[in-house]
Structure formats: C-alpha cells, structure tokens
Amino acid sequence: MTKENILGIDVSVTSYEDLKEAINEDIEKKKKSFIVAINPEKVLKARKNQELKDLLNKASYAIPDGVGIIYASKIKKGQIKSRITGIDCMDMLCGLASDKGYKVFLYGAKKEVIEKAKIKLEEKYKQIKIVGTIDGYEKDEEKIVKQINESKADIIFVALGSPKQENWIMEHMEKLNVSIFQGVGGSFDVISGNIKRAPLWMQKAGLEWLYRLIKEPKRIFRQLKLVKFLFLIIFSKKEI
Ligand code: UDP
C-alpha cells in the first residue's frame, strides 16, 4: 500500500474497500498488522518526538483520520482524497469480523464504558464474536497478556488514548497471538453512547472539529494546532 509523507509521517493512500481487503488478507495469512489513525495533532507531536515518529512510521496502515491531513495532501498535490476515521475503520472491521467469524477483543477505557460498548456492538453486529474485554485501568500486565492470548482473538482494538495505545501495541505485538492491532482512542466512549459524535452532515462537510469545539470549548487549544499544522504545510517546500 502506498504512503504519502506529511511533515515526516507516512500516511496510507487507500480507500475503505482496499483497506478492508488488505486486512482480510492479513488475517487469513495470520500476518501481524498495526493500524494507527493520523491527525495533525499527532503529526505535530511526532515532529518533536523522534521515538513517536519512528513508532508511527512503523505502522502497517496509517489511516488519514483528520480533515487537516486531507487539506495537507491537497496543498501538496498528493493523492489522499478522503478521511478514514479511526472509529469508522473499527466499525468496518467489526462488520468484517461479523461476516467472516473473526474473533474480536476490546481493551481500554473505563469498565462501564467497555461493557456498554460490547453490548452496543453485539446489538449492531448480530454475528460478532467478542471474545473478551479488559478495561484500560487494569494494572496486571501478565493477566492482560494471558487473557488476550487465551481468547484466540484475531483483532484487538486498543483504546488507551494516544500515544499510550501505540506504545502499548508496539511493546505487546510479538507476545500476543493476534493478527490485527488498532489503536482507537476515545472510540469506545462514542460506541457506548457516553460521548456523542457530530451529526452526519457535519462529518461529511469536514466540520466534526466544530461540533467538538462547541461541545468542549477548551479543545480550542488543541484545535489551534491545526492552524500551525497548515502553516507548516504551506511553507514547507517539499512536495509529496
Ligand atoms: N484510557 C484508558 N487508560 C488510561 C488512559 C486513558 O483506558 O490509562 C482511556 C480513556 O478512558 C478514554 C481513552 O483512553 O476512553 C482516551 O480517549 P481520548 O479521546 O483522550 O483519546 P485520543 O483519541 O484523543 O488520544
């Protein structure tokens, strides 16, 4: 799968369909893959943190999660045309798991959130096999590894926030008999209904950031980083 380099971070050029096909192939071949969602905030963090940069660049699939990534690709005359959000990718993989009988594990978020998320996913995907859950505040490392391996999961969604979840995945990939690892941030909170996502028209218009800003005004400081990101893109000479 081709990638475009955006301020030092490689981002996959793909569609949901191609991604689904590639991941299905990985599971069939029992190949280990690691999916990260890239947004401008992560790119800026990684510019100042070589370790994070290396880690993000090791991902098998780096999906263009933020609308800022699409603008950046457009400005640099790249090929990334539409977002693949972390939560939509997770949703697509749950559909795939349900169709093909792949086993799914949920790790992260608060205990009540993860339990509710499991119920919601089972309501939506009648055939899905969720073979285990562990909340993100469990401290017993050995217990976590043992439970995941005993579950024989094919796909694990890790919701510990970023970059904690990416670090956790890199540290545990070899020890776990799981094929697909995806870091999903606050997705369990959204799936459980704890946090509401923007209406579809806002998502489609690339205005999800505005909805989140209205809901949580203190996000303004996080979102101002998008302006800095676009400045850096415009003034960096390198073409993709
Ligand atoms: N979280 C966790 N364990 C921790 C820290 C965070 O399980 O030690 C969970 C937290 O409960 C929340 C998610 O990680 O469900 C973080 O979501 P956030 O929206 O902050 O992630 P982002 O995508 O912004 O990195």
Side-chain angles (χ1 to χ4, degrees), residues 93-102 104 124-129:
L93 292 182
C94 286
L96 177 72
S98 176
D99 291 346
K100 301 267 185 180
Y102 298 144
V104 172
K124 185 167 181 188
Y125 300 101
K126 299 279 181 245
Q127 311 294 325
I128 199 166
K129 291 181 194 154

Side-chain angles (χ1 to χ4, degrees), residues 108-110 135-137 159-162 164-165 184-186 189 212 222:
K110 296 194 183 110
D135 72 77
Y137 300 89
L160 301 175
S162 196
K164 195 171 178 184
Q165 62 200 21
V184 292
D189 295 276
R212 295 182 83 175
R222 285 176 74 167

